[in-house]
Amino acid sequence: MEAHLVLGNAGLTVESYGTGTQVRLPGRSAMEPRVFKFGSNYEDMYKSLAAADDDEAFFVQNGVLGLCRRGAAVKARPQRWQDTPNSLVTTHDVAIAFEERIYDAVVEDLQMREPTEEFEPIHVICLDTKDNPHEAKIQGRIALDLCWLLEKTALRVGKEGLVAEIPEILDAFQNERMKHTPIKVLHQLCYL
């Protein structure tokens, strides 16, 4: 959600999605996540998590209520990538995932969809991130830098030029901006 906020505040068109079957938030133990359906309103999730005083205190302490507040500030409810129609998916030139399992799910979904008549490129990129607020802030800023770099390149060389240049761009970006992590930037070119 941090990257959504950073990119949106910078004026970029942003959508954010999950890829699981349900929205899973940390519960009292790893075996007891709090589960909600995609499309559930963030405010309703917050109210459910804060319904009892001891629950409210617990979910404030573990940061989940703050996560719901941040989510609600960005959009009304979580969306699921696989439920998004091709007509909306094809409005995006780049999809950035912040976990490798989400990157894999997005790539798999794009490869399974019926191609559109336009058959346009979509670059799926993974900037794998530890799931904590500190790392999210760092990767949000890094994602913004990458988006501006890709935007600048696409304006200069067009979509097809970006297809040709993106491997070199990502290699240079990896070497210059990803020094804080040993994790490699992943990229898959898909067409839809």
Side-chain angles (χ1 to χ4, degrees), residues 89-102:
V89 171
T90 57
T91 64
H92 303 293
D93 298 322
V94 177
I96 299 176
F98 292 91
E99 291 181 45
E100 190 170 349
R101 69 176 179 78
I102 293 173

Side-chain angles (χ1 to χ4, degrees), residues 15-19 38-39 42 75 77-81 84 88:
E15 297 284 334
S16 56
Y17 302 92
T19 58
F38 275 100
Y42 278 114
K75 60 186 193 175
R77 57 189 46 88
Q79 299 162 273
R80 185 171 182 262
W81 172 266
T84 306
L88 184 56

Side-chain angles (χ1 to χ4, degrees), residues 171-190:
D171 280 345
F173 189 83
Q174 173 82 41
N175 293 332
E176 294 168 17
R177 292 293 284 129
M178 300 295 286
K179 293 178 182 177
H180 66 286
T181 179
I183 297 169
K184 179 105 172 92
V185 174
L186 303 176
H187 171 254
Q188 177 68 50
L189 176 61
C190 297

Side-chain angles (χ1 to χ4, degrees), residues 67-143:
L67 179 90
C68 288
R69 282 278 182 235
R70 285 192 306 278
V74 171
K75 60 186 193 175
R77 57 189 46 88
Q79 299 162 273
R80 185 171 182 262
W81 172 266
Q82 295 92 329
D83 296 338
T84 306
N86 282 358
S87 59
L88 184 56
V89 171
T90 57
T91 64
H92 303 293
D93 298 322
V94 177
I96 299 176
F98 292 91
E99 291 181 45
E100 190 170 349
R101 69 176 179 78
I102 293 173
Y103 165 85
D104 291 339
V106 170
V107 169
E108 180 181 348
D109 176 71
L110 287 170
Q111 291 172 340
M112 299 297 291
R113 289 178 183 247
E114 275 299 313
T116 63
E117 286 185 29
E118 295 80 16
F119 203 62
E120 292 288 334
I122 299 176
H123 300 276
V124 184
I125 297 170
C126 183
L127 300 175
D128 206 13
T129 306
K130 284 185 183 176
D131 194 8
N132 66 54
H134 175 72
E135 290 294 321
K137 284 189 184 301
I138 292 170
Q139 290 298 76
R141 183 66 197 159
I142 287 173

Side-chain angles (χ1 to χ4, degrees), residues 48-63:
S48 172
L49 294 167
D53 288 343
D54 62 329
D55 279 346
E56 183 174 23
F58 174 78
F59 289 116
V60 165
Q61 188 271 332
N62 79 352

